[in-house]
């Protein structure tokens, strides 16, 4: 349910794992999630009031509807900083490295004019990222909508 927030947090550089595949509202699975959060020193972000209540300090009830408001809620709680290093793959959470020429060449979806772009590579997905218009729009939205 918080898939968009997950992708934003990864673009913002935060190690974020998704609980997709867990059954929300199932007490046993909730216990597993909380144990995972505790063991890996993670904060559990949830829409589930009961899960948030059980999690105490480990959990945050995400109340906002749109993703920028959700990020703002986490900024207000001092859980995240307003930044966008684009350092993690939004799909798989792997830390990105700078892309090599041949990787950029091979990506048909890369911008043809590379001037002013920085390219990053996810070794896990074989996916190319760059801080082009999409990244800039994202950064503009975060900068303009969030106050820290
Ligand atoms: Zn990836």
């Amino acid at each position: 349910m918080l898939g968009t927030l997950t992708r934003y947090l990864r673009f913002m550089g935060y190690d974020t794992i998704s609980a997709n595949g867990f059954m929300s509202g199932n007490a046993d699975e909730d216990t597993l999630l909380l144990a995972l959060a505790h063991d890996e020193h993670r904060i559990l972000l949830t829409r589930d009031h009961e899960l948030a209540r059980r999690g105490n300090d480990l959990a945050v009830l995400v109340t906002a509807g749109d993703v920028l408001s959700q990020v703002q809620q986490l900024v207000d709680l001092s859980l995240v900083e307003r930044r966008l290093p684009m350092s993690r793959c939004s799909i798989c959470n792997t830390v990105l490295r700078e892309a090599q020429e041949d990787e950029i060449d091979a990506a048909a979806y890369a911008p043809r004019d590379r001037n002013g772009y920085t390219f990053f590579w996810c070794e896990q997905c074989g996916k190319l990222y760059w801080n082009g218009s999409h990244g800039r729009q994202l950064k503009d939205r975060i900068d303009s909508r969030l106050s820290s």
Side-chain angles (χ1 to χ4, degrees):
M1 242 185 330
L2 294 171
T4 306
L5 180 60
T6 299
R7 290 199 301 278
Y8 265 64
L9 289 174
R10 286 173 180 162
F11 272 136
M12 292 172 76
Y14 292 100
D15 177 5
T16 310
I17 58 175
S18 167
N20 276 353
F22 281 86
M23 299 250 292
S24 176
N26 178 312
D28 291 342
E29 303 227 339
D30 286 356
T31 301
L32 282 176
L33 274 178
L34 291 170
L36 180 75
H38 178 267
D39 291 348
E40 299 192 3
H41 305 285
R42 294 178 182 278
I43 301 287
L44 182 65
L45 305 175
T46 181
R47 289 282 212 188
D48 185 321
H49 286 77
E50 172 64 16
L51 180 54
R53 190 191 61 73
R54 284 186 58 194
N56 280 319
D57 293 351
L58 281 177
V60 168
L61 180 67
V62 177
T63 51
D66 74 282
V67 68
L68 290 176
S69 303
Q70 292 169 350
V71 172
Q72 181 67 57
Q73 187 187 349
L74 302 182
V75 170
D76 291 343
L77 292 168
S78 301
L79 290 174
V80 303
E81 288 175 44
R82 186 177 60 164
R83 58 176 191 165
L84 193 63
M86 231 191 213
S87 54
R88 282 181 188 272
C89 177
S90 67
I91 298 165
C92 75
N93 197 40
T94 295
V95 174
L96 303 178
R97 63 159 168 77
E98 232 173 274
Q100 291 161 4
E101 287 299 316
D102 57 330
E103 291 159 349
I104 303 170
D105 289 341
Y109 49 89
R112 299 181 70 178
D113 179 3
R114 300 185 197 165
N115 276 334
Y117 293 105
T118 309
F119 293 87
F120 305 96
W121 184 254
C122 174
E123 290 188 342
Q124 189 69 34
C125 301
K127 183 169 162 55
L128 185 72
Y129 288 88
W130 60 94
N131 65 348
S133 57
H134 178 65
R136 262 203 293 275
Q137 276 171 19
L138 207 60
K139 186 166 187 336
D140 287 348
R141 290 173 71 191
I142 284 180
D143 283 347
S144 63
R145 284 286 302 278
L146 301 183
S147 53
S148 52

